[in-house]
């Protein structure tokens, strides 16, 4: 596969799929407009879309096999180079690189992507924009694959903004409702803020390394880090890049767009806002791990941001009524965990959690989608309850997902989350405080997860039976659920803790990619954990998970009584948490309104009044003096003669004496 | 003045020099006779055209052969004065063409007298341009001015025309008196009236400089420069439009021709003062025009501004323009372009005015492009040339004026001068807007469109068209004219 | 007949043909105009393909005598030529005109003859400015190209068209008259009007004189760009101009200002350009943010796009005065990109105006439902204008920001803010036009774009995608000239540092 | 005993000044016309005085008197045309006031 254009087909297939679905959409439009009967959108679109994703899935698996066959240290397949922008000495070329890290991401993106495509074939049936939806979905997968496979930071940026665009289009898919369009716009602008900081970071990298090819950069980091003048720039560059990640992966300063992004259809939330796009930030940090690992301060910053985001995400999910909002805040929280892991140098375990999270969060979102589908677009958990009889398959798979998310022992979530906490604890020093926050959030996660399960599937049926008849989703929807459930349960196999004396599959697989970063970290002290400490941590993790899971479940299995009395007794706390610590409201007050005010001031006062005023003033002055001069020419002979006489005297005086 | 001198007067080279003047004089006399005899009435037009054509041919031939001087050097027919001469003949021909069928029935019987007066003016102008002696200049000045006073008040039935004529007469005579007294003072100081000798003797002392000041005052009056320009709007608006055309182009050119010959009188230190006077004139001219609603009066103010622009050339020479004949070239080309532009513009106004309606207000011009596209197009070309837009003669005129300033190092006056022509475009555009961009005002909607009834306007229309084409040619292929500059 | 004279004056021949056909036959008039512009477009593409990007020399040279200035006998020649700096703009002008003419089917119904006449004359004027290589000839084309737009805005414009057209004409004229004095000064200083020779010799001038001349030239071009303090005429001119007038004004006329800054600012006076580079970078960067804020507050959608042009051209100036290879090549490409994306935006707004006869933003809403094809094109153009990677805007902007960062990181960071604000006002406008419930009754039954309207946009859309994915052929066209220019700047920088005798600590990073 | 030339020049200057002031002050147009004549004669006087001053025994400098003759000639023509205009004015405005000449202004 190396050196050929074959690799290019992995991203290009979904692009062609998107184009094809686009044409289908416009064709059906023309047909609809023609006879106006709104002929049902053909089933062709989902077929084309799923085929495209299946194609790239197949190629990805083939690439994965070829990669695995290579010896451990030479595991890189590079495609033909495509010269993109040449500006004098600067050459920005893009080639696709499959190395252990991108192979994993490839499988996740195309695998989970394919399942979600199949699922949405059922979920979106009957929607007038059916073909358009699949066009956007395929376009999204194309952008994500470009992001994951690109060799240079510029190619990555193309994917980076491409996914931002697709999330904008998909969140605002049902634009006629009005507020989804605003949510889409908010998401795009928040991403753009992150992209701006990403741009500055990439310019700094060009300034330091003269190129944007990521492998060259990683190789040259050691040299640059040693030179004191450049090291400062490197730190600033790393922080800027991390700024970009916070925008894309919804971390602390820029996470407010993710909950609103739930306005889009549920498969979109599953694919983009759980499994793939939001993980782009994590992928970037792992891809450029030497750049971030060069300065320990950067690592601590990443860790703290991760921990704080996890805490805020978790706490905000506790009292949410909308099932998708709970999952959204939970995603923010789990991403916080991943960055917590990255902060303490546990690159492999962050990727491990990314993979498992893709499985169980994708599953939960699709499950929620199936619930909403069954409940005729009802999303408020206070109007559900007792659905386990009506949707047994969805209930079973949802249970598996919830168990994995809450970190019940032996499930995938438990292992990946515990590994991150272990590494954070091992890192010592300030990171132990972060570990504390991590443990508290783990408890909260277990609590709200099982609250959700209890409210949705157990207890009294709180929906009115005349309108709502919950029914099981068709096969095309629950089969992907089943597959994801299996993966969520057995996903842990990928990375069993060392204590089990079994090789950590993912760690060894990612060794060549994470080695340079780890080496740099090692320069600032190595950290190991004794077996006893590990067992203790494992035990603590499972105990907390079990205790808080049962607490959450029992509190809500009876119904929504607990929510009501909390809202009655401590309304301020409830409102504070549901509003995600009121950060979004503050943003509006501090940034959005002042910006509109400044815009108004510049447009009316500075522009029209000041600058334009000067221009019109000059014109007015000329006409005014012109009118006043008319008085000088008063038509009387005498004054003219006087002027002539005076003029003559003036000239005489001028020449005689000057 | 013994007999030899008299014979010497007519040797061949001197004869060639004075031939155009003689031709004009003979033409005038024949025209007068034709006026007396009823039978020759129809010959009026051909005589005028023949005289002007013949004189033009003579001047052109002088331009090539550069004959000597007449009456021991008081009148010189060198290349410069021949070039100016050509300009005067053209200006008069255009003015005369525009006066064709211009006057109402009441003034028609006096058409011959009108043409005689019009024909004498180029004679005066040529004398002024070629004068090497103050006496010859004075005679030229009067031979030019007195017919103009009469022509200005030609439409005796209209109070405005008489007022214009009388005002022009009184102020003209007043300025002429200044000239006379000035030259007498110069004569008292230097003892000679011959320019060359005065230049040799040099002008020092209060008496001489006082004389120069008075002479310059009258010249500035003639070219209508601040503070001597106040008469121009009333006289130009009052007098019949063809006469205004002649006044705006011919007299100004003649005055500039002489001014360039007598520039030596001004002390070098006066360069800045002249520049300031010129700039103030441009400002007053342009700002004054901005406030006008009558197009004719507006063009009068624009004439003042253009006089100021050409005066800048004098400032340039005084400040040390390396090119010796820089001023002459600039003034000649500028006035050449101005003759065609202003004559054409006034001619068009005359054409429109003849429709019996006071057509020279901006209000009346609204929507003219729909009804009379060619007139509107020509008027737009003239407006753009007056403003100095490239591809028209006006631009290159302005270019040469500014380059003489820049060469002399007067950078900031050039910049101020350039910016003042932005104001100029303010009102030139107003005409174009009226023509093309504003709907016809209801009051004039009733007017008959297309060609007017009063006989065929062919000669005037053709003259205007020729002017427009020439203005464009001077802008796009200036080589034809620039290479022939003296 | 050599190529450049043919391509420059063919539109004038078309204008003559239009003049001869009677005004009543509108169909024939439109056909003549379209055919002429199509032929010129073909010639333009041929010229672009035949152009060798690697050489810095003037190509397709035409050099004939025109006239000689009296007295000092300075020859003024009819000299045309194309080099790396101008080839892209010549090609864009040629290619865009058929689109513009085709768009007039929809919105020009009265006095069609005069409109086509002025459009063709304008094309000659614009092409002339980019190909003229004699300073006097350049000045001729520079000022003459003002007149057609003056008439187009004045006759076919909106309500305040007279105010807008006088303001635009006089504002640009004031700048060019100050430039006239500088043009005269430099011609008489070096006894020649030939631009290439002036470019070589002018750098030998004393720095103080060079700065004065540079300031005069830069003033005229900054007004035309428009750079920050001189931009107030643009919003009025755009709002009152007819759609095709706005497209040409934004597409090409504004670029005459930036091209002028490049050719007569940086190429002719490198020393002075270096001296003033920080000032212009500042004006560019602040212009970006200022333009964005202006656009955010607009209620008239056409005025919003006009303000966005101020912001976009701020990028071009920022990139240009970074005086690095990346900045310069980015700014030249961005001139073309802005022409495409803003041209498309105006075309689309024109199409909506033809249907709804209003430009107020609050009159729209939910149009995506009734006009999906229009929605697709509008979102596409907005993304190209907001510099989405994969489309044309991104390549130019990335290079500009990169170049600016290499020169002055502070202004580059402020410009990057522009990326955010740019997205904000564009998306806000799209949302208010396209998305949300259909509130106004008329928006319910608007008929979608017809075949003509889609076809006329296709060339620009294809160009946008092509530059986005495959910018190399376009960038290679400017390589030769830019290397010469950057080399020239280095020499001037060396001279400047030598004169300062202060060893520069800040190591220059390439 | 000859009157020294300076005195003549001063006399002429005085005459000229009176002429100018008369032109500015007097309301009747005919009187204004006369003032112009006065100014012309002042110039004549200066010419003759200067001629005498510059003539020497052997070479008489006669430019001045020649100019004076032409001035008288021109003065006559001017008077003729001027009076004709004044009559035309009188016929229209029934007055010879200088201030009646102010219909056009601004």
């Amino acid at each position: 596969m190396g050196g050929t254009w074959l690799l290019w087909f992995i991203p290009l297939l979904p692009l062609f799929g998107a184009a094809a679905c686009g044409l289908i959409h416009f064709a059906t439009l023309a047909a609809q407009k023609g006879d106006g009967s709104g002929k049902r959108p053909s089933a062709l679109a989902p077929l084309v879309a799923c085929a495209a994703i299946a194609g790239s899935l197949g190629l990805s698996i083939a690439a994965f096999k070829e990669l695995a066959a290579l010896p451990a240290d030479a595991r890189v397949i590079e495609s033909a180079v495509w010269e993109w922008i040449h500006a004098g000495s600067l050459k920005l070329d893009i080639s696709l690189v499959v190395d252990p890290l991108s192979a994993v991401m490839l499988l996740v993106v195309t695998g989970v992507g394919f399942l979600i495509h199949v699922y949405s074939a059922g979920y979106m049936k009957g929607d007038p924009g059916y073909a358009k939806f699949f066009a956007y979905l395929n376009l999204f997968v194309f952008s994500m694959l470009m992001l994951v496979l690109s060799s240079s930071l510029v190619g990555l940026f193309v994917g980076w903004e491409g996914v931002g665009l697709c999330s904008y289009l998909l969140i605002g898919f049902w634009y006629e409702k009005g507020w989804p369009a605003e949510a889409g716009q908010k998401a795009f602008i928040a991403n753009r803020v992150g992209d701006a900081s990403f741009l500055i970071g990439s310019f700094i990298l060009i300034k330091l390394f003269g190129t944007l090819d990521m492998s060259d950069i990683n190789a040259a980091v050691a040299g640059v880090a040693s030179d004191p003048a450049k090291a400062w720039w490197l730190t600033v560059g790393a922080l800027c890049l991390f700024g970009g990640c916070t925008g894309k992966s919804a971390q602390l300063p820029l996470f407010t767009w993710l909950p609103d992004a739930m306005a889009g259809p549920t498969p979109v939330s599953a694919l983009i806002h759980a499994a793939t796009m939001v993980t782009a930030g994590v992928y970037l940090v792992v891809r450029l791990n030497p750049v971030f690992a060069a300065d320990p301060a950067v690592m601590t910053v990443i860790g703290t941001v991760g921990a704080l985001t996890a805490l805020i995400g978790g706490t905000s999910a506790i009292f949410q009524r909308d099932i998708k909002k709970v999952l959204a805040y939970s995603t923010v929280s789990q991403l916080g965990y991943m960055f917590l892991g990255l902060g303490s140098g546990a690159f492999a375990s962050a990727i491990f959690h990314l993979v498992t999270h893709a499985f169980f969060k994708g599953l939960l979102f699709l499950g929620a989608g199936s619930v909403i589908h069954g409940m005729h677009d009802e999303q408020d958990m206070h109007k559900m309850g007792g659905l386990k009889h009506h949707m047994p398959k969805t209930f079973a798979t949802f249970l598996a997902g919830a168990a994995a998310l809450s970190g019940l022992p032996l499930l995938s979530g438990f292992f990946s989350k515990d590994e991150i906490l272990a590494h954070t604890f091992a890192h010592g020093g300030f990171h132990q405080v972060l570990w504390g926050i991590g443990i508290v959030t783990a408890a909260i996660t277990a609590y709200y997860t099982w609250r959700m399960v209890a409210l949705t599937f157990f207890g009294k049926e709180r929906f009115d039976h005349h309108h709502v008849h919950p029914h099981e989703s068709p096969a095309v929807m629950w089969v992907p659920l089943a597959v994801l459930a299996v993966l969520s349960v057995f996903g842990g196999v990928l990375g069993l803790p060392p204590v089990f004396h079994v090789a950590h599959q993912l760690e060894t697989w990612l060794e060549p990619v994470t080695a340079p970063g780890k080496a740099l970290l090692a320069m600032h002290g190595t950290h190991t954990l004794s077996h006893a400490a590990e067992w203790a941590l494992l035990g603590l993790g499972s105990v907390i998970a079990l205790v808080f899971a049962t607490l959450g479940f029992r509190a809500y299995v009876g119904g929504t009584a607990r929510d009501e009395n909390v809202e009655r007794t401590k309304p301020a706390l409830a409102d504070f948490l549901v509003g995600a610590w009121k950060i979004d409201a503050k943003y509006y007050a501090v940034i959005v309104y002042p910006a509109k005010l400044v815009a108004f001031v510049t447009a009316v006062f500075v522009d029209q009044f000041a600058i334009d005023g000067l221009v019109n003033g000059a014109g007015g002055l000329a006409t005014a003096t012109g009118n006043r001069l008319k008085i000088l020419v008063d038509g009387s002979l005498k004054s003219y003669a006087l002027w002539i006489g005076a003029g003559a005297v003036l000239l005489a005086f001028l020449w005689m004496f000057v | 003045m013994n007999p030899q001198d008299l014979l010497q007067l007519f040797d061949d080279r001197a004869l060639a020099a004075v031939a155009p003047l003689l031709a004009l004089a003979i033409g005038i006399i024949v025209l007068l006779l034709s006026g007396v005899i009823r039978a020759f009435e129809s010959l009026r037009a051909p005589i005028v055209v023949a005289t002007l054509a013949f004189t033009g041919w003579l001047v052109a031939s002088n331009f090539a052969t550069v004959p000597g001087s007449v009456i021991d050097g008081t009148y010189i027919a060198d290349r410069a004065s021949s070039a100016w001469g050509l300009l005067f003949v053209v200006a008069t021909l255009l003015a005369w063409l525009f006066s064709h069928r211009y006057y109402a029935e009441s003034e028609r019987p006096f058409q011959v007298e009108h043409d005689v007066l019009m024909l004498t003016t180029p004679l005066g102008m040529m004398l002024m341009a070629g004068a090497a002696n103050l006496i010859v200049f004075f005679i030229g000045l009067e031979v030019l001015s007195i017919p103009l006073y009469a022509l200005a008040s030609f439409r005796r039935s209209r109070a405005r025309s008489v007022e214009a004529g009388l005002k022009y007469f009184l102020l003209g005579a007043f300025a002429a008196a200044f000239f006379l007294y000035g030259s007498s003072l110069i004569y008292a100081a230097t003892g000679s009236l011959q320019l060359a000798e005065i230049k040799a003797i040099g002008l020092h002392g209060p008496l001489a400089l006082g004389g120069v000041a008075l002479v310059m005052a009258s010249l500035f009056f003639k070219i209508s420069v601040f503070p001597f320009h106040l008469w121009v709007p009333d006289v130009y608006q009052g007098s019949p439009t063809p006469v205004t055309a002649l006044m705006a182009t011919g007299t100004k050119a003649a005055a500039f021709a002489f001014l360039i010959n007598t520039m030596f009188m001004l002390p070098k230190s006066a360069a800045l003062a002249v520049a300031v006077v010129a700039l103030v004139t441009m400002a007053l001219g342009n700002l004054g025009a901005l406030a006008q609603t009558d197009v004719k009066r507006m063009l009068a103010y624009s004439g003042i501004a253009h006089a100021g622009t050409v005066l800048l050339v004098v400032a340039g020479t005084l400040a040390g323009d390396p090119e010796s004949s820089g001023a002459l070239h600039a003034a000649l080309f500028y006035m050449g372009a101005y003759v065609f532009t202003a004559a054409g513009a006034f001619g068009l106004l005359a054409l429109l005015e003849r429709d019996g309606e006071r057509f020279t207000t901006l209000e009346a011009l609204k929507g003219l492009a729909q009804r009379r596209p060619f007139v509107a197009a020509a008027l737009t070309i003239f407006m753009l040339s007056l403003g100095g837009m490239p591809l028209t003669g006006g631009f290159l005129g302005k270019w040469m004026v500014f380059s003489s300033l820049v060469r002399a190092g007067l950078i900031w006056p050039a910049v101020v001068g350039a910016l003042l022509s932005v104001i100029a475009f303010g009102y030139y555009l107003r005409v174009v807007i009226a023509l093309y961009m504003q709907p016809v005002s209801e009051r004039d909607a009733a007017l008959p469109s297309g060609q007017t009834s009063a006989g065929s306007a062919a000669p005037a229309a053709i003259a205007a068209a020729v002017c427009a084409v020439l203005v464009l040619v001077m802008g796009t292929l200036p080589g034809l004219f620039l290479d022939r500059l003296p | 007949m050599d190529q450049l004279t043919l391509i420059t004056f063919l539109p004038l021949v078309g204008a003559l043909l239009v003049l001869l056909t009677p005004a009543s036959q509108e169909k024939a008039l439109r056909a003549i105009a379209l055919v002429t512009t199509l032929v010129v477009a073909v010639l333009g593409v041929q010229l672009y393909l035949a152009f060798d990007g690697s050489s810095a020399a003037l190509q397709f040279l035409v050099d004939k005598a025109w006239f000689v200035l009296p007295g000092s006998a300075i020859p003024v020649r009819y000299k045309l030529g194309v080099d790396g700096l101008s080839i892209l703009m010549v090609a864009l002008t040629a290619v865009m005109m058929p689109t513009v003419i085709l768009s007039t089917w929809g919105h020009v119904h009265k006095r069609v003859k005069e409109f086509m006449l002025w459009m063709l004359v304008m094309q000659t004027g614009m092409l002339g400015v980019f190909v003229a290589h004699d300073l006097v000839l350049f000045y001729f084309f520079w000022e003459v190209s003002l007149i057609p737009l003056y008439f187009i805005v004045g006759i076919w414009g909106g309500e305040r068209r007279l105010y807008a057209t006088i303001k635009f004409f006089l504002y640009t004229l004031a700048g060019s008259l100050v430039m006239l004095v500088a043009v005269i000064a430099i011609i008489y200083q070096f006894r020649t009007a030939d631009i290439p020779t002036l470019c070589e010799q002018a750098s030998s001038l004393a720095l103080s004189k060079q700065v004065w001349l540079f300031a005069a030239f830069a003033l005229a071009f900054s007004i035309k760009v428009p750079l920050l303090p001189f931009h107030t005429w643009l919003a009025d001119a755009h709002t009152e101009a007819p759609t095709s007038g706005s497209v040409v004004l934004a597409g090409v006329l504004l670029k005459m200002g930036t091209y002028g800054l490049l050719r007569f600012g940086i190429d002719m006076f490198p020393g002075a350009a270096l001296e003033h580079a920080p000032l212009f970078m500042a004006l560019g960067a602040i212009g970006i943010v200022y333009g964005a804020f202006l656009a955010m507050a607009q209620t008239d959608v056409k005025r919003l796009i006009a303000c966005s042009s101020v912001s976009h051209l701020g990028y071009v100036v920022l990139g240009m005065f970074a005086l690095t290879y990346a900045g310069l090549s980015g700014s030249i490409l961005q001139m073309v990109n802005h022409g495409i994306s803003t041209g498309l935006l105006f075309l689309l707004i024109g199409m909506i105006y033809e249907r709804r006869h209003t430009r107020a933003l609050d009159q729209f809403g939910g149009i995506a439902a009734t006009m999906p094809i229009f929605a697709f094109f509008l979102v596409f153009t907005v993304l190209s204008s907001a510099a989405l990677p994969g489309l044309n805007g991104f390549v130019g902007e990335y290079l500009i920001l990169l170049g600016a960062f290499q020169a002055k990181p502070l202004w580059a960071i402020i410009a990057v803010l522009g990326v955010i604000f740019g997205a904000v006002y564009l998306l806000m406008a799209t949302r208010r036009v396209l998305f949300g419930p259909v509130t106004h009754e008329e928006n319910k039954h608007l008929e979608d774009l017809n075949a003509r309207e889609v076809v006329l946009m296709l060339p620009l859309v294809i160009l946008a995608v092509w530059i986005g994915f495959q910018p190399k052929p376009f960038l290679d066209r400017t390589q030769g000239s830019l290397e010469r220019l950057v080399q020239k700047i280095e020499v001037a920088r060396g001279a400047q540092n030598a004169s300062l005798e202060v060893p520069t600590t800040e190591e220059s990073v390439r | 005993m000859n009157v020294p030339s300076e005195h003549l020049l001063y006399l002429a200057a005085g005459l000229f000044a009176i002429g100018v002031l008369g032109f500015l002050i007097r309301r009747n147009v005919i009187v204004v016309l006369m003032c112009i004549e006065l100014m012309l004669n002042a110039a004549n006087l200066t010419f003759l005085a200067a001629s005498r001053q510059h003539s020497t025994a052997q070479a008489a400098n006669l430019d001045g008197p020649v100019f004076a003759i032409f001035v008288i000639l021109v003065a006559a023509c001017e008077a003729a045309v001027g009076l004709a205009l004044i009559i035309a004015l009188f016929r229209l405005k029934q007055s010879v006031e200088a201030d009646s000449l102010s219909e056009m202004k601004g």
Side-chain angles (χ1 to χ4, degrees), chain A residues 102-117:
Chain A
S102 53
V104 166
M105 292 302 285
L106 258 186
L107 288 178
V108 165
V109 169
T110 45
V112 171
F114 177 68
L115 290 177
I116 289 174
H117 270 73

Side-chain angles (χ1 to χ4, degrees), chain B residues 99-130:
Chain B
S99 71
H100 189 70
R101 291 247 183 303
Y102 171 77
Y103 294 103
E105 290 319 315
S106 57
E107 285 104 359
R108 192 58 52 75
F110 300 98
Q111 191 66 33
V112 176
E113 283 74 6
H114 176 277
D115 293 354
V116 165
L117 290 173
M118 227 173 211
L119 215 53
T120 49
T121 51
L123 187 62
M125 296 182 206
M126 282 194 218
L127 281 173
M128 284 165 74

Side-chain angles (χ1 to χ4, degrees), chain A residues 25-105:
Chain A
H25 171 66
F26 280 119
T28 48
L29 257 179
Q32 269 167 356
K33 194 123 353 287
D35 56 29
S37 67
K39 186 164 61 53
R40 296 198 53 68
S42 73
L44 187 60
L47 277 180
V48 166
C50 294
I53 303 299
S56 32
L57 177 62
L59 280 173
S60 309
I61 295 168
F64 182 79
K65 280 213 193 65
E66 192 179 327
L67 199 68
L70 290 170
D73 49 10
R75 280 206 174 114
V76 173
I77 308 171
E78 183 144 6
S79 77
V81 176
W82 178 48
E83 287 147 4
W84 192 26
I85 303 176
H86 281 214
S89 59
L90 183 77
K91 296 259 185 301
L92 299 177
D93 303 342
I94 302 175
S95 63
L96 301 186
V97 163
V98 178
D99 72 351
L101 174 61
S102 53
V104 166
M105 292 302 285

Side-chain angles (χ1 to χ4, degrees), chain A residues 619 621-623 625-627 629-630 632-637 639-641 643-648 650-652 654-656 658, chain B residues 167 170-171 174 178 206 209-210 213-214 216-217 220-221 227-228 230-231 234 266-267 269-270 273 284 287 290-292 297 301:
Chain A
L621 183 70
T623 28
T625 31
N627 294 335
L629 281 175
K630 265 164 78 155
L632 196 70
V633 186
D634 56 7
S636 92
L637 192 66
S639 64
Y640 295 173
W643 272 99
I644 293 175
L650 176 83
L651 287 184
L654 207 65
W655 282 324
M656 267 194 262
V658 157
Chain B
K167 257 186 192 167
L170 289 172
L171 293 170
F174 189 66
F178 269 73
L209 285 179
L214 289 174
M216 281 302 151
F220 282 1
F221 166 84
F228 313 93
L230 293 166
W231 59 278
D234 299 350
L266 296 172
S269 63
L284 289 179
L287 288 172
L290 214 55
Q292 297 307 327
R297 197 175 178 87
Y301 273 101

